[in-house]
Every structure is written in C-alpha cells, then in structure tokens.
Amino acid sequence: MKLVLGIESSCDETAAAVVEDGTKILSNCIASQIEIHRPFGGVVPELASREHLARITIVVNRALEEAGLSLSDIDGYAVTSGPGLIGSLLVGVCYAKSLAYVNAKPIVGVNHLEGHIYSVVFENPPIEYPALAMVVSGGHTSIYYIPVERRYELLGHTRDDAAGEAFDKTAKLLGLGYPGGPAIERLACRGKAERATLVYSIPQITDARYDFSFSGLKTAVLRYVSEHGLRPAAEAEEPSDEICDLAASFQQAVVRTLVSRMVKAARDYRPRTLILTGGVACNKMLRQTMLEAATKLGLPLYYPSPKLTTDNAAMIAAAGYGRLLCQEDDAMTLTASASLKLHTKSVSPGKGRFKLA
Ligand code: KG4
Ligand code: ZN
C-alpha cells in the first residue's frame, strides 16, 4: 500500500487528493462551493449535493493529473463516509466505491473528524500518543483523548452551536457575509475588544467539564447590537468601528472558551501532544493563544497550515492509509452516515485519568 486516493464531499467542498505513504501529498484539489451558497448565507444541502455530482469527476481527474498518475497506479481509496450532509456524502461514497470496484482495489470509509485530526501529519513531527485533539469546525466542536493511534474517547462537545457556526451566525447578524469566520477575523484585527464589553462569561457546565456552549455568546452579541443601536453593515459597505470592536470582543470570547477547555483537559489527562484542527483553527488569534497555552504546559501543539485546516481530501487519505495498510478495509456495503460517531467511548465527567488534586 503506497498511493491512496482520498475523496471528501461531506459539506460544501468537493475534494480529491493523492497521498503517498500516508504523509506525502502528491496532489490536493478542492472545488469550493462558497459562491453558490453565499447568497443564502449558509450551505443549502440540495444545491451542495447537485454541485458535488457535477464536479466530482473533474476534481478526481485533476488530482490524478497533478500527481502525474492514472487510476491504475492507485493502491487504495479513502472516502469520507460521515458525519455530514447525507446527499453530499453519498456522492463521494458512491463514486469512490465505483472506482474501487472497477479497479479491484480496497476502500475504506473515513470519519470526517478523524480526517481533520490527521490533517496535522503532513507538516509536523509524528504524533506522540496519548494525544489530545480539539476539532473546531462549522459543524463540530469536540475534544478527543487519543490514548493510542485510532482510538478516540470523547471528552467534551458543544451542547448547542459549533464554534464555526457561532462565527457564521454572528457574522450574519452583523451583516458580514458568509463564511463568517474569516470575515470576523479580518474585522477583529481592526477593532479593540475592550471597547465592546459583552455581558458573557464562559459557561461552566457542571456535569460535563469539557463541554461547550456558544448560544449564550450569540445572545450577548444580539443584546449588545440592540442596546448600542448598531446597524449591521450593508452589502459592499465598510463596517463601522463599533462593529469591528464587537467582532474583536466576540472572537476573544470564543478563543478564551476554547483554550480554557483544552488547558483543563490537558491538565487532567497529561497528553504528549496537543492537536488543534478544523476550519476555525485557521483563526490566527486562536492558534497564537493556544500555542502560548501549550508552551506554558510544556507540550507541543500541532496544527495544519490553512489550506489543510479547512475541508480537504489529503487528510481523508492520510486517515484511511493506516487502516488500508492493516487490511482493515470496508466491504462494498460501505455507506454514508450523516451522524457517524468517531469515539469508541464517551468519558464520563470527572474521570480524568491523571486528575491533579
Ligand atoms: O472544517 P471546515 O472547513 O468545515 C466543516 O467541517 O465544518 O470549517 C468551516 C468553518 C466555518 O464555520 C468557517 O466560518 C470557520 O470554519 N472558519 C473560521 C476561519 N476560517 C474558517 N473561523 C474563525 N476564523 C477563521 N479564520
Ligand atoms: Zn470539516
């Protein structure tokens, strides 16, 4: 097993990549649907699956071409089988299965979140286990304890909005367009958080110490907007200084929430590596603050470069490689699951294995 073709179509990116020996990217092609969904302020599932269908052959062919290979060179296939939008996932799964069947090669279904975790293998030293991984994306905000490779214990997840969803919804509220994360980050650089104090404190969910909740923060932004009479930015209009300050304050609150949970989990579980991944991990303030926290803890923090942080197929090929190598491939009955779980075990609160004090 050497060359793996990865396919990703769980949300609004049609992606294909060829990865050699699990860590060397030969090609990584992505057809983004952002422009199609932008007028709706979010991903429209039906449009997404139609677009995947229209693009998948083109994207797979481009990935092969850029790698200088043909289908007969590929040793195995890895495809995102969940979680995600069911119609979108099915396009990738059915396409990958047909390629595997016709070329008589093994195929493995990959959990999208495991893919995000593997996105750090290309540009960092090998992951030392146990590791602690935070996946922060448009649909997920979770912390996993990974005692050994490919075993995942869910320590905490969001009770309501995912971090990326909170960025997207807040951006919509402020008239900043879609996707919201990059828009808020851009304005936050111009604003001053201390000039827009949000009435908000990091929720402490007493029965689940690593869980998240972002709905209160969204309400705090809404209240701030109405109490200060802020007008959302109109299309093509440069947002006001007040909106920039609010963006900075919101970003700071999300970053503080995420970093505090990771630090708490790292103190309790004492991993050897910290991993930060998923679209929101593109955020520079989050990367920097998490890096400072990791340095204080004396732990290495791995995160991917921006192109590998958001959805891509190289991470899916990397995640599938190990299982293909061990011949743990899936049968042709492989199917998509919108709510596929990654963890083999949920850890009950207060059971940190190296709990201090
Ligand atoms: O991982 P991803 O590409 O797709 C999912 O699996 O959901 O993550 C997309 C999410 C969106 O919510 C987007 O607003 C957010 O990542 N995002 C960011 C930034 N870049 C993308 N959030 C904060 N700051 C950014 N720079
Ligand atoms: Zn993702």
Side-chain angles (χ1 to χ4, degrees), residues 109-288:
V110 170
N111 185 302
H112 181 77
L113 304 179
E114 185 175 30
H116 273 302
I117 292 170
Y118 271 82
S119 65
V120 301
V121 302
F122 305 109
E123 304 155 316
N124 294 287
I127 300 169
E128 289 203 45
Y129 296 93
L132 207 56
M134 175 176 272
V135 184
V136 270
S137 68
H140 302 271
T141 300
S142 314
I143 302 187
Y144 292 97
Y145 177 67
I146 317 172
V148 289
E149 187 164 11
R150 300 212 299 276
R151 226 181 81 204
Y152 303 94
E153 296 176 11
L154 180 68
L155 300 189
H157 63 101
T158 181
R159 294 292 186 95
D160 38 59
D161 292 347
E165 198 178 350
F167 268 99
D168 293 338
K169 286 180 176 169
T170 302
K172 200 169 180 177
L173 184 79
L174 302 179
L176 306 179
Y178 170 85
I184 291 201
E185 175 168 35
R186 192 171 52 82
L187 296 191
C189 292
R190 284 171 37 197
K192 289 230 176 328
E194 60 275 16
R195 286 202 301 238
T197 312
L198 287 168
V199 185
Y200 168 79
S201 58
I202 297 176
Q204 301 299 329
I205 302 168
T206 47
D207 61 337
R209 296 179 313 145
Y210 313 107
D211 275 3
F212 304 88
S213 167
F214 291 104
S215 59
L217 178 57
K218 210 175 50 194
T219 310
V221 172
L222 195 61
R223 204 178 311 123
Y224 188 95
V225 167
S226 82
E227 278 170 11
H228 292 76
L230 292 192
R231 190 179 54 80
E235 213 181 318
E237 182 192 54
E238 237 350 89
S240 62
D241 289 349
E242 286 86 354
I243 297 264
C244 294
D245 294 340
L246 186 52
S249 184
F250 166 83
Q251 176 179 266
Q252 186 183 67
V254 175
V255 168
R256 282 187 179 161
T257 306
L258 296 174
V259 174
S260 73
R261 289 290 187 278
M262 188 71 143
V263 168
K264 191 185 274 191
R267 287 207 174 115
D268 288 351
Y269 281 80
R270 302 208 185 158
R272 297 176 72 185
T273 315
L274 298 180
I275 294 170
L276 175 66
T277 185
V280 179
C282 283
N283 188 280
K284 290 187 205 68
M285 185 187 184
L286 176 60
R287 286 172 184 244
Q288 187 53 37

